[in-house]
Amino acid sequence: MQKVSFTENLDFNDDKIVTKVLLETSFSKEIRILLKKGQLMKEHKAPFSIIIHIVEGSIDFGVEGKVHMLKQGDIITLAANVPHDLLAKSDSIVRLTLSKQDAAERIEKVVADS
């Protein structure tokens, strides 16, 4: 058993989006993404399906040219290879669930390019 918190030890950064792998299981990777209001994670796509859960805050989630407003408590799924972007409308904590086959380092590259 593993226990972690998505809302403790938060280290928001004014200059960059902060990501951290909080859990890795036999089937998934659970990643916390901290976005300050106004921060943008540029368009990218994942090689496997993903789940996105807004733990706190709100984001504009762009999918193939259409923007969806996601707020605290919302959870969505996205199929593999679908282009998407995230724009923080307020300081936000996002839970990203990746397939075990996906690389967490890929998220670091997306953040660095944003």
Side-chain angles (χ1 to χ4, degrees):
M1 183 177 117
Q2 300 176 59
K3 179 183 180 274
V4 297
S5 173
F6 275 83
T7 57
E8 293 178 2
N9 302 317
L10 302 177
D11 188 22
F12 283 93
N13 188 307
D14 289 331
D15 300 320
K16 66 176 187 146
I17 298 167
V18 178
T19 65
K20 182 176 184 179
V21 177
L22 293 182
L23 278 179
E24 193 162 336
T25 71
S26 61
F27 59 89
S28 72
K29 296 173 186 169
E30 302 296 333
I31 299 170
R32 179 177 65 195
I33 304 172
L34 302 177
L35 299 105
K36 292 283 285 182
K37 180 179 180 178
Q39 287 181 328
L40 170 70
M41 186 179 282
K42 291 183 182 174
E43 186 176 78
H44 58 284
K45 49 188 170 179
F48 302 94
S49 296
I50 60 173
I51 298 172
I52 297 162
H53 173 204
I54 309 305
V55 175
E56 190 172 293
S58 61
I59 63 168
D60 280 347
F61 189 74
V63 180
E64 298 180 319
K66 185 173 181 186
V67 176
H68 306 268
M69 204 289 254
L70 302 178
K71 63 185 181 331
Q72 183 173 331
D74 288 346
I75 187 167
I76 63 166
T77 62
L78 197 62
N81 298 310
V82 175
H84 58 281
D85 60 74
L86 293 80
L87 173 63
K89 301 307 281 182
S90 63
D91 291 357
S92 299
I93 303 170
V94 177
R95 175 184 171 191
L96 171 63
T97 302
L98 297 181
S99 164
K100 180 72 171 179
Q101 298 167 327
D102 203 345
E105 295 79 18
R106 181 181 62 75
I107 305 305
E108 289 293 327
K109 182 174 178 351
V110 171
V111 167
D113 291 344
S114 290

